Amino acid sequence: MTHKELAAVILEKVGGKENVSSVGHCATRLRFNLKDDQKADTEAIKKLKGIVGVVNKGGQYQVVVGNDVKNVHKEIQALGNFSEQSSGSKDEKEKKLIPRILDTIAGCFFPLIPALAGAGMLKALLALLMAFNWIDVESDVFQVLNFMADAAFYFLPVLLAVSAAKKFNVNQYVAMSIGAILIHPTFIAMTGTAKEAGTGIDFLGLNIPLVSYASSVIPIILAVWFISYVEPFAEKITPKSLQLILAPLVTLIIVAPVTLLFIGPLGNYLGLALGAGIGFLNTHVSWLVPTIVGTFTPFLVMAGMHYGIIPIGMSMLATSGIDTVAGPGMMVSNVAEGAASLAVAFRTKNKDVKQLASSAGVTAVIGITEPAMYGISLRFKRPLVAAMIGGGIGGLYLGIMEVGRYAQVAPGLFSLPSYIGPDGFQNFTHAVIACAISFAVAFIVSFILGIKDPVEDEAPAGSVSSEKAITESTYLPEDVVYSPLKGKAVELTEVSDAVFSEGILGRGVAIIPEEGKAFAPIDGIVTALFETNHAIGLTGTDGKELLIHVGIDTVKLGGRHYTAKVAKGQTVKKGDLLLEFDIEGIKTEGYDVITPLIVTNSSEYADVLSITGKDVGVGEALLKLAR
């Protein structure tokens, strides 16, 4: 299936573009903010070829795609024509407090991951070059590479301002201006001069706290949150004819001083308090935090809560130069996740599982765990236990040895150079030992526990596509699906769309229509009617679920040549007219009118038997569902 085809199906299954407030992506997951997550067909999405899993937690509906997520996201954006900004919908605002906070943190940070990961890897590479004396720290080459690596972190308030503005649905450029104010050279110089002189910075009789905001995280997020209240007020009180000029002026003149005087220092103190708390734990129970993070990172990732500890690590790097919280524990957890999957690959006899476990295991060890987590660990459960044990023991070792990282790098084996610190290789050596411990423990435990090998359990039922098979099959009378169209019945393999021809949406039959009318093939309820009227979903009185999709790629017609005769939620009887369509009009615009009839819950039946290779009339028996 192409990226475009997969994107189209995902978008359809999450309830259509009208159900999507916003959509973004991280390393492996599409992250939807849905207006109503009950409209999403989670089970159908999980069954799609190319989908690893689905998670609906932390205020986001997450579809785990894997390494192709960027391409699929691009196609979804094109299909839905989504704005990058959050809609700020009522549904989103009514979410519970904790999911909203987690969603906000995730929304602010995951767009920045590529920039931070690239800069972090460059800093790790520089640390490696320095450790082996392969580069002179006084050379221009080093200086240039060093400020290139530092730039993303130094200007972090500006970068965060962009993503936070999208989350809070405010003007990005005003938000960036506030971020730039916090790290403006003049403000930095004034702060430095005031510190040396033992004085302060006076602003209208108020004293601006002498705080450095380079590489800071919390202050700018709080500032942009404040903008989300000031900006609407500014737009409300300014004349529409002058709003373009006056509204940003009012916003800037209110937000900037308040940020410098109150919000920024508050965020800074929160960061310092957080650092002090972590420092206390590191001093008295140094083993605790890395052990907890190493053990429970899989659950943090599933819930999207790992974005809650990433800012803690970044704050520690900004204030003390070393992160002992987020990076180390997540690194050994990812290594353990990969080891558990690789153990499954060694032990299983199922070729598909072996292939998935092998590739997922390798990607997890280098820091991308979702394929292993959703494809192996959660599926078979025992590898998850092994990964938690391995990650916990590795985290315990890290905590006892007080290991930390010196750069923000995606946690995995490639992040090891970021553990080379000013004291040489001691910290790095302990990090390597911790990874080795996590890998060995997780691999051994996973190999011993094993999995229930799905060789026999998951063998697909054979399909029979003949009129004789239908006649001889054991079925109940209500398990018959009648033809909704007059035309020629053919195999699904003749459909040019892989979503249908490969049975991704379910098994069934296709009809090449002779007349532009579609009738109800069963008694039931219209459970889906797309706004373009090209497809209708029905649920039978006994639970069978059908999709009638008139034409291929006809969603692009935007409803032209289609007229719906029923409404969503309407009860219909077999033979009721559902839809009229202009066959010649559709063909003239270059689209194939072949119409798949899919049993979307065909996995609930022992077999789906069909008549193909012959002309059928409306109301003739076409499918029978064997139990």
Side-chain angles (χ1 to χ4, degrees):
M1 190 189 307
T2 66
H3 297 138
K4 185 175 183 180
E5 292 167 342
L6 182 57
V9 179
I10 292 173
L11 188 57
E12 182 178 302
K13 292 301 179 183
V14 297
K17 67 179 183 180
E18 63 277 3
N19 192 39
V20 178
S21 296
S22 63
V23 57
H25 73 90
C26 55
T28 58
R29 282 180 279 185
L30 295 168
R31 295 176 175 269
F32 290 94
N33 289 112
L34 300 181
K35 297 175 182 177
D36 183 359
D37 57 8
Q38 297 300 314
K39 293 182 179 180
D41 191 345
T42 299
E43 293 305 315
I45 295 174
K46 286 181 179 179
K47 295 175 184 177
L48 293 177
K49 186 176 182 180
I51 298 302
V52 180
V54 176
V55 181
N56 186 14
K57 290 184 179 180
Q60 290 187 336
Y61 191 87
Q62 305 168 21
V63 181
V64 186
V65 178
N67 295 335
D68 286 334
V69 66
K70 183 177 180 180
N71 296 318
V72 177
H73 174 260
K74 181 179 179 181
E75 296 296 343
I76 286 179
Q77 288 280 31
L79 289 169
N81 192 28
F82 296 117
S83 166
E84 290 190 35
Q85 290 190 354
S86 170
S87 69
S89 66
K90 178 181 177 182
D91 305 81
E92 192 170 337
K93 292 176 181 177
E94 289 178 349
K95 290 177 182 176
K96 293 182 179 179
L97 180 61
I98 297 301
R100 284 176 60 190
I101 292 174
L102 292 174
D103 177 40
T104 299
I105 294 173
C108 290
F109 276 92
F110 76 72
L112 273 62
I113 288 176
L116 298 181
M121 288 302 295
L122 182 53
K123 288 182 73 69
L125 177 61
L126 282 174
L128 192 63
L129 294 175
M130 287 189 296
F132 286 101
N133 294 317
W134 290 340
I135 191 170
D136 182 3
V137 295
E138 301 297 329
S139 68
D140 289 344
V141 173
F142 175 83
Q143 297 297 328
V144 170
L145 291 176
N146 192 45
F147 80 69
M148 288 169 56
D150 284 337
F153 298 100
Y154 183 86
F155 293 101
L156 191 57
V158 178
L159 299 181
L160 272 172
V162 177
S163 54
K166 293 177 182 178
K167 284 305 299 178
F168 291 113
N169 200 15
V170 300
N171 187 287
Q172 296 177 42
Y173 301 100
V174 173
M176 291 168 65
S177 298
I178 300 300
I181 288 169
L182 293 178
I183 55 175
H184 193 281
T186 300
F187 176 64
I188 294 174
M190 291 175 68
T191 300
T193 301
K195 284 182 178 180
E196 290 179 5
T199 60
I201 302 175
D202 178 77
F203 181 77
L204 301 177
L206 297 173
N207 189 47
I208 295 177
L210 306 179
V211 177
S212 173
Y213 295 105
S215 304
S216 64
V217 172
I218 301 176
I220 188 60
I221 293 178
L222 292 177
V224 177
W225 168 77
F226 183 53
I227 291 175
S228 70
Y229 289 92
V230 175
E231 189 175 78
F233 169 76
E235 292 174 350
K236 183 178 180 179
I237 65 172
T238 55
K240 288 188 177 180
S241 59
L242 299 174
Q243 207 169 75
L244 180 65
I245 300 172
L246 293 184
L249 171 63
V250 173
T251 302
L252 196 63
I253 208 167
I254 293 175
V255 175
V258 171
T259 298
L260 290 173
L261 288 165
F262 305 109
I263 294 177
L266 173 62
N268 180 67
Y269 296 145
L270 288 174
L272 292 175
L274 187 62
I278 297 298
F280 176 84
L281 293 176
N282 285 338
T283 301
H284 296 87
V285 280
S286 61
W287 54 269
L288 181 61
V289 175
T291 303
I292 292 175
V293 175
T295 302
F296 294 104
T297 286
F299 294 102
L300 295 175
V301 172
M302 281 185 278
M305 293 178 65
H306 61 304
Y307 284 106
I309 64 172
I310 288 176
I312 299 175
M314 295 176 66
S315 179
M316 292 187 68
L317 285 171
T319 56
S320 62
I322 185 170
D323 165 28
T324 58
V325 175
M330 294 179 72
M331 175 182 68
V332 292
S333 175
N334 291 350
V335 170
E337 187 76 57
S341 289
L342 290 172
V344 171
F346 271 89
R347 180 159 176 172
T348 184
K349 296 180 181 179
N350 183 294
K351 293 182 179 179
D352 292 335
V353 174
K354 185 182 290 292
Q355 181 179 0
L356 174 60
S358 299
S359 61
V362 172
T363 57
V365 166
I366 64 176
I368 301 174
T369 59
E370 283 87 349
M373 188 185 307
Y374 295 107
I376 301 298
S377 291
L378 291 179
R379 179 181 177 186
F380 299 111
K381 305 300 187 296
R382 295 173 187 173
L384 176 60
V385 174
M388 292 177 66
I389 294 173
I393 294 176
L396 176 61
Y397 180 85
L398 288 170
I400 293 173
M401 297 301 172
E402 300 181 355
V403 176
R405 64 176 176 177
Y406 296 94
Q408 175 70 29
V409 186
L413 287 184
F414 288 167
S415 70
L416 283 172
S418 68
Y419 290 81
I420 301 174
D423 296 331
F425 282 92
Q426 183 177 355
N427 186 73
F428 170 80
T429 302
H430 287 308
V432 172
I433 293 173
C435 287
I437 291 172
S438 295
F439 187 96
V441 171
F443 187 94
I444 293 170
V445 173
S446 180
F447 193 87
I448 292 173
L449 292 178
I451 62 170
K452 184 180 179 182
D453 209 315
V455 173
E456 289 81 15
D457 293 345
E458 296 186 359
S463 62
V464 181
S465 300
S466 69
E467 190 169 3
K468 179 180 178 181
I470 288 183
T471 303
E472 295 177 350
S473 176
T474 300
Y475 62 92
L476 299 176
E478 61 267 26
D479 286 336
V480 177
V481 178
Y482 300 89
S483 177
L485 302 167
K486 178 182 179 181
K488 183 177 181 180
V490 298
E491 298 277 0
L492 281 179
T493 53
E494 296 191 27
V495 180
S496 59
D497 190 333
V499 173
F500 300 108
S501 63
E502 295 180 9
I504 293 171
L505 291 181
R507 298 165 65 185
V509 68
I511 304 171
I512 302 173
E514 295 179 4
E515 294 180 354
K517 293 182 178 181
F519 299 85
I522 57 172
D523 296 342
I525 298 175
V526 179
T527 49
L529 178 60
F530 296 88
E531 59 182 13
T532 53
N533 295 328
H534 73 290
I536 292 180
L538 300 172
T539 298
T541 53
D542 65 332
K544 68 172 71 68
E545 299 172 5
L546 304 179
L547 173 67
I548 305 170
H549 196 287
V550 183
I552 304 303
D553 284 337
T554 45
V555 65
K556 297 176 183 177
L557 291 172
R560 295 192 304 277
H561 311 301
Y562 291 91
T563 304
K565 297 297 182 180
V566 292
K568 184 178 179 181
Q570 181 176 332
T571 300
V572 296
K573 293 289 186 181
K574 181 178 76 70
D576 288 350
L577 180 61
L578 301 176
L579 177 70
E580 290 185 349
F581 54 97
D582 183 355
I583 294 177
E584 293 306 318
I586 296 170
K587 288 182 176 179
T588 299
E589 295 209 36
Y591 295 93
D592 190 349
V593 293
I594 190 170
T595 300
L597 172 62
I598 305 296
V599 182
T600 54
N601 63 336
S602 55
S603 61
E604 298 178 12
Y605 297 89
D607 211 345
V608 177
L609 310 172
S610 62
I611 294 176
T612 58
K614 60 170 288 188
D615 292 331
V616 295
V618 173
E620 285 189 29
L622 189 61
L623 296 173
K624 289 183 180 177
L625 312 182
R627 294 181 183 272

